[in-house]
């Protein structure tokens, strides 16, 4: 579980990131979950962009995607979700 200071730090790093995972009209699918897991394993911090063709609730999508990928939602603003999952070999050093 991330504390406020760690979330602020990750949000700052997330500002520089480009969206790696794109959610379209299909929404939450096995392919989306797999690609998000692969991105999290490679980067630890992943920005997810939700296209306007996605009709469901974005808050629910963020929660479900975090559950299926065993990650944490750092931030969700509009149609952008920022996810974090610590890898076995951490690349990002979080503040205490």
């Amino acid at each position: 579980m991330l504390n406020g200071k760690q979330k602020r730090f990750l949000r700052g790093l997330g500002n520089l990131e480009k969206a790696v995972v794109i959610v379209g009209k299909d929404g939450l699918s096995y392919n989306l979950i797999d690609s998000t897991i692969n991105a999290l394993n490679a980067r630890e911090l992943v920005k997810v962009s939700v296209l306007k063709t996605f009709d469901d609730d974005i808050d629910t999508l963020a929660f479900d995607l975090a559950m299926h990928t065993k990650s944490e939602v750092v931030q969700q603003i509009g149609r952008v979700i920022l996810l974090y999952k610590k890898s076995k070999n951490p690349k990002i050093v979080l503040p205490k």
Side-chain angles (χ1 to χ4, degrees):
M1 191 80 179
L2 297 170
N3 63 34
K5 189 175 187 180
Q6 292 168 332
K7 283 187 177 183
R8 278 192 303 277
F9 176 75
L10 290 171
R11 283 196 302 259
L13 292 177
N15 283 337
L16 306 173
E17 295 286 321
K18 289 189 177 182
V20 178
V21 178
I22 313 278
V23 181
K25 65 181 176 192
D26 296 336
L28 194 63
S29 65
Y30 291 114
N31 288 337
L32 176 70
I33 293 167
D34 283 343
S35 63
T36 306
I37 288 171
N38 291 337
L40 283 166
N41 288 337
R43 298 169 167 250
E44 290 185 310
L45 188 66
V46 172
K47 189 179 272 190
V48 179
S49 178
V50 182
L51 299 178
K52 291 183 180 178
T53 55
F54 180 76
D55 294 333
D56 294 338
D57 185 41
I58 297 173
D59 293 331
T60 306
L61 172 71
F63 178 78
D64 290 343
L65 193 55
M67 266 187 34
H68 288 294
T69 59
K70 296 182 176 100
S71 62
E72 280 194 63
V73 177
V74 175
Q75 184 178 38
Q76 190 260 311
I77 296 181
R79 295 186 163 272
V80 177
I81 303 165
L82 193 62
L83 297 174
Y84 173 77
K85 181 179 179 184
K86 186 175 182 176
S87 71
K88 293 174 187 170
N89 301 321
K91 296 172 183 74
I92 299 173
V93 179
L94 293 175
K96 298 280 178 188

